[in-house]
Amino acid sequence: ELTHLMWQDNDVISVISMYWNDANYYCSNLSLGGYSNWRLPTSIELEGIIDYGKYQPAINTTYFQNTFSDIYWSSSPAVATAPSYFWYVDFSSGSESARYADNNNYVRCVRE
């Protein structure tokens, strides 16, 4: 499926884990490839790059070379009643769940 999204890859910071607030700030202030309109992806956007035919990592490593088999933050809040919890994708298995913002997870920024 063609999404018209550009994903961050091959960048040193994409292999560093951080709290959700730091991840959101990092993506919002990223200047990469001549672009400065980067952001933290939604959970649906992250789900869109999962390759369920692969495992550890559950992603096409031809296109996403620097992906750990671990958890990556999304910008999507888990529920309105728990504003400090955000959805994530675990690229070890391709699963998705929610996690408290004060956990360290990996980051992959996106832009349209």
Side-chain angles (χ1 to χ4, degrees), residues 62-112:
T62 300
Y63 299 107
F64 299 98
Q65 298 170 4
N66 293 320
T67 303
F68 281 102
S69 296
D70 213 323
I71 295 171
Y72 283 74
W73 281 123
S74 84
S75 63
S76 304
V79 290
T81 57
S84 294
Y85 283 80
F86 293 88
W87 288 106
Y88 68 78
V89 167
D90 184 345
F91 281 103
S92 176
S93 62
S95 64
E96 181 182 6
S97 191
R99 191 170 227 196
Y100 186 64
D102 282 350
N103 281 285
N104 281 315
N105 294 322
Y106 291 98
V107 180
R108 170 163 280 128
C109 304
V110 69
R111 63 171 297 278
E112 294 178 49

Side-chain angles (χ1 to χ4, degrees), residues 15-32:
V15 296
I16 296 173
S17 63
M18 57 185 78
Y19 295 144
W20 186 89
N21 284 335
D22 295 333
N24 191 45
Y25 178 84
Y26 166 72
C27 287
S28 297
N29 290 283
L30 179 63
S31 181
L32 180 67

